[in-house]
Amino acid sequence: MQYTAGTSVAGAARVEGVKYDEDIVKMFLIASVTWAVVGLLVGVIIALQLAWWPANLGLPWTTFGRLRPLHTNAVIFAFGGNIVFTGMYHSMQRLLKTRMWSDTLSRIHFWGWQLIIVSAAVTLPLGLTQAKEYAELIWPIDIAITLIWVVMAVNFFGTLAIRKVEHLYVAIWFYMSFVLVIAVLHITNSMAMPATLTRSYPVYAGLTDALVQWWYGHNAVGFFLTTPFLGLMYYYLPRISGRPVFSYRLSIIHFWALVFLYIWAGPHHLLYSALPEWAQTLGMIFSVMLIAPSWGGMLNGLLTLRGAWDRVRTDPILKFLVVAVSFYGMSTFEGPMMSIRAVNLLSHYTNWTIGHVHSGALGWNGMISFAMIYWLVPELWKRPLAHPTWPTAHFWLATIGIVLYTVSMWAAGLTEGLMWRAFDDSGLLKYPNFVDIVNQLHPFYWLRLVGGLMFLTGAIMMAINVFQTISRPSSSTAAAA
Amino acid sequence: MSKKELNQVLGHADEADGIEEYDNPLPNWWLGLFYFTIVWGVLYGINYHFVAHNSEVKTLAAEMADADAKWPRQAEAAAATEVKLTPEAVAAGEAVLTANCVSCHGADMKGGIGPNLLDTTWIHGGAPENIVNTITKGVPEKGMLTWGPILGPEKIAEVAAYVISKNHEATGTPAVGEPAAPADTTKAGSPS
Ligand code: HEM
Ligand code: HEM
């Protein structure tokens, strides 16, 4: 049983009389494209600052220390968040055969989320921070995030309650884990006693604080950059390729294994720290056990494409998907390896971690988002892309950019890790001057900048393409998109 | 699994926006990998904590013992190193100073971030053993590095010799090569 593939024909079955809320999907899509360009641009700026310090401009607001959290918040919560919401609002309505429960809550969610992003973009350069990685935002913004999240969750479960199907497709399970777990993580990690409007004291102290922070930090990766994106994969990959999902059984088993194991893996960020060693061991072994559940997602993605490989050669959207799923598999193998004590001894504090982060972030989150955007724009606006050949160019720019980024950071990480631990014949540090090591890294920083620039260029091409497509008057031949 | 069971659609498509799902069995190698990582993880944990009674503290202690055997302890070596005011030592010390110290103490040694080395004031003592001690341990609270592990006792003795040779007045030592000097070597020891 197979339906027409690679066209804009919506799924085989449709309920009559349901009018989906397409506007909210369009709003989130435009927001993701915009924030993608902003977040990547800030990434390129901080990459330049590491290669060439005068780019700090000597102003407190533009120094690396303040722009770095701006970059991470912009790419994860603004770009990543908005693209996940785009996909959720688009696919949920179709999978559940119902309009969202409340259009008002959808809009409060949209504008609230954008407002949170803007307030982050103002407060972080001003130096207002709680100094917890990925949870830097000050307490009033944390409260706003909680409220908006609750609005979104009520709408999400409200829509589930009024659904017109019995069976819940696997993508919905992944979204559900995102909605629930991120709420728990955010509230637990952000607990603080306000002192002034912009300052607060965390309720946890010392080691407890560190453990809660990295329980949060790792699961932000697990439940913000992994499970909702797997949900997107499970909807868009079979829809775009027109192929049946390889294995339902695998999807259920790897889902439960993934959500169960992720929660325990946080201490791999605290190896060789004051954290009791049994907790470190737990973090390490649960991370190693994560390989197979993660690869379950990759397998289900790649094997679903069986029978569509001929089209991968010509269709840039499928190309983006294949590379995304492959990088997901790559970084979820690398992560567990880095969780092993002896490996982490070398990799921790080095640029290797940065390479790992971006092979996941650019390769997996970035590429799958681009595939979605290129497929959704003609669907939603019912017209062909303004520049149909650009996505292929974007694909190659992005792919080569990722390779330059990750390879240069692996090389830099190994170089510095090995130089730090080298001794000379008399038992002294071989490279006692930190600056000597930094000088070795310098060429790699430039190389990373080139990779980042290529990735950004591709994203700007996408933004131009999207905005020119949607600002053109809609044509009557649109459905041929 | 017989071939017949492969690629059978579940028939949920009308409840999944037209997306069909096969109910294929889990690939054996995938299951094998999953079981292997679980068994390996459990065995690693049991072995690390309960059989080998390993710990990071123990690993560090073993590495330190190895290093001690291979290279004698810094402090003892430092105690044995004398500040020799020979022209060779002073020349070598100048090179060490230029490479490591001038960024704080100034190219003319008259201070900058760190204090003047040519005046008569010594915050941490001006005797050769005091100077060696200050360099070896550093003054971390004011930003001066702990040079002991970085330079090693020999270079520290050399750079101390150079500082002393530039500042006889304050250290009360004779100039290099002056014949009348009562002693041209001074035993320098780390007081610790
Ligand atoms: C044009 C593309 C990008 C460039 C040039 C770039 C550059 C950078 C740089 C220079 C850093 C700081 C590294 C350091 O402190 O040594 C960084 C950190 C980070 N970036 Fe990016 N980035 C890009 C895209 C992304 C994307 C798309 C994401 C996520 C979806 C992302 C997530 C992160 C995270 C999580 C960190 C913090 C890593 C850590 O603390 O270990 N970046 N990025
Ligand atoms: C099974 C999957 C994974 C495991 C076990 C894992 C493990 C690790 C480890 C061991 C570190 C280094 C911790 C340190 O030395 O400080 C790390 C860092 C990181 N990983 Fe992963 N990783 C996985 C997948 C991913 C994926 C798919 C992404 C992104 C999409 C990602 C994003 C990050 C980030 C952002 C950091 C930096 C955290 C920081 O700021 O220090 N990881 N991961």
Side-chain angles (χ1 to χ4, degrees), chain A residues 36 39-50 64 68 71-77 79-80 133-134 214 221 225 229 269 350-351 353-355 357-358 360-363 365-366 370 405 409 445 448-449 451-457:
Chain A
L40 297 181
L41 178 66
V42 181
V44 167
I45 292 172
I46 60 175
L48 175 66
Q49 290 177 332
L50 286 176
F64 179 80
R68 190 187 194 276
H71 164 65
T72 56
N73 279 277
V75 285
I76 299 175
F77 301 114
F79 168 48
E133 203 174 9
Y134 316 125
W214 283 110
V221 168
L225 295 178
F229 281 89
H269 291 271
T350 72
N351 281 292
T353 304
I354 305 299
V357 169
H358 289 86
L362 305 180
N365 304 120
F370 301 150
Y405 194 127
M409 287 301 102
Y445 283 153
R448 184 248 308 266
L449 178 67
L453 265 175
M454 293 176 75
F455 199 82
L456 172 68
T457 309

Side-chain angles (χ1 to χ4, degrees), chain B residues 25-160:
Chain B
L26 310 171
N28 281 332
W29 68 266
W30 181 86
L31 262 182
L33 177 71
F34 195 19
Y35 292 148
F36 174 77
T37 55
I38 294 172
V39 170
W40 182 87
V42 171
L43 289 180
Y44 170 90
I46 292 176
N47 178 57
Y48 188 89
H49 291 281
F50 305 113
V51 179
H53 292 286
N54 210 337
S55 83
E56 284 157 12
V57 176
K58 272 195 189 167
T59 312
L60 177 67
E63 274 182 33
M64 292 301 281
D66 277 356
D68 276 343
K70 226 159 140 194
W71 305 296
R73 282 269 187 180
Q74 295 288 339
E76 289 142 29
T81 309
E82 292 175 2
V83 177
K84 295 194 188 69
L85 283 176
T86 61
E88 300 79 52
V90 169
E94 181 173 11
V96 175
L97 184 119
T98 314
N100 298 289
C101 317
V102 294
S103 53
C104 290
H105 292 281
D108 57 2
M109 298 169 67
K110 290 200 176 143
I113 301 170
N116 189 337
L117 300 176
L118 300 186
D119 61 9
T120 53
T121 317
W122 291 98
I123 303 171
H124 304 281
E129 61 268 29
N130 298 137
I131 295 177
V132 166
N133 190 37
T134 309
I135 300 170
T136 306
K137 295 196 172 151
V139 191
E141 63 277 17
K142 292 192 198 162
M144 172 146 154
L145 298 184
T146 304
W147 290 98
I150 301 179
L151 293 176
E154 203 172 319
K155 284 190 177 152
I156 289 179
E158 288 165 356
V159 75

Side-chain angles (χ1 to χ4, degrees), chain A residues 337-354:
Chain A
M337 292 302 115
M338 292 168 71
S339 308
I340 294 175
R341 277 195 173 89
V343 180
N344 199 262
L345 193 59
L346 177 63
S347 74
H348 192 64
Y349 295 133
T350 72
N351 281 292
W352 184 349
T353 304
I354 305 299

